[in-house]
Amino acid sequence: MPKGEGKVIAQNKKAHHDYFIEETYEAGLVLQGTEIKSIRNGRVNLKDSFAKVEKGEVFLHNMHISPYEQGNRYNHDPLRKRKLLLHRREINKLIGYTKEQGYTLVPLKLYIKNGFAKVELGVAKGKKKYDKREDMKRKEAQREIERAFRERQKL
């Protein structure tokens, strides 16, 4: 199964709007207790989350996993930092990227693959305001072309 395939639970749509995605990595998540049950229920938010390399390990910050309703005292802190599972050579590449000026690690989507929760992590460089406007113009032009093509097909 190629990287990024599986049952998609959550996507960070804002990431493609705010960043140029240079490269993507698939990482496993270290979860506690009832977190996987909340993820399977789709109670996850990737909106303001980011990843950081700390002491040779990669951690995901600000990913909100809502507490499981039937979890009672076994529930977890919704915004705790979670360790990402990557190969050593991938972590070394990420360390090199993040040391460069302007690069950051952004989670693009969370999905379940073969029963395990996975995160697609993107090495991203921030867009300027004019880049965002240019992307919006390009998308709008593409929509117009598709709309005209559909109209022509109806005739």
Side-chain angles (χ1 to χ4, degrees):
M1 196 179 276
K3 182 169 43 174
E5 281 191 23
K7 184 181 178 222
V8 176
I9 306 297
Q11 282 189 313
N12 190 353
K13 295 176 184 173
K14 196 89 168 137
H16 288 284
H17 183 263
D18 291 340
Y19 301 100
F20 291 114
I21 308 299
E22 305 281 324
E23 204 172 334
T24 61
Y25 294 93
E26 180 180 75
L29 275 167
V30 176
L31 301 171
Q32 290 181 348
T34 57
E35 287 180 323
I36 189 65
K37 293 182 179 191
S38 288
I39 288 174
R40 285 197 176 113
N41 286 339
R43 299 179 47 86
V44 183
N45 189 353
L46 292 173
K47 196 172 190 176
D48 295 324
S49 56
F50 62 95
K52 232 184 202 180
V53 180
E54 299 170 2
K55 298 178 187 167
E57 295 179 335
V58 183
F59 290 95
L60 191 59
H61 295 267
N62 283 355
M63 181 174 76
H64 188 277
I65 299 177
S66 298
Y68 186 58
E69 286 141 11
Q70 287 85 32
N72 59 43
R73 70 176 186 212
Y74 298 106
N75 273 327
H76 53 278
D77 176 27
L79 287 175
R80 74 178 186 87
K81 70 178 183 179
R82 293 164 180 87
K83 186 177 176 181
L84 296 178
L85 303 172
L86 290 157
H87 292 284
R88 173 58 48 198
R89 67 181 186 283
E90 292 175 332
I91 293 174
N92 290 339
K93 274 187 178 179
L94 293 177
I95 289 170
Y97 270 123
T98 55
K99 284 193 177 174
E100 283 185 47
Q101 190 67 35
Y103 283 97
T104 185
L105 302 175
V106 179
L108 302 174
K109 61 180 156 179
L110 177 79
Y111 52 94
I112 294 185
K113 180 176 170 185
N114 300 331
F116 295 103
K118 304 279 185 180
V119 173
E120 187 174 283
L121 201 62
V123 177
K125 190 172 182 102
K127 286 185 182 178
K128 303 281 189 251
K129 202 169 192 175
Y130 56 85
D131 291 328
K132 293 178 191 178
R133 286 190 198 123
E134 201 172 287
D135 275 355
M136 288 170 62
K137 285 179 190 173
R138 194 175 312 120
K139 285 179 187 175
E140 187 61 37
Q142 187 64 34
R143 276 191 215 115
E144 288 295 324
I145 292 168
E146 288 173 5
R147 200 173 294 134
F149 186 70
R150 276 195 303 261
E151 290 296 320
R152 201 156 184 209
Q153 290 291 330
K154 287 181 181 178
L155 299 176

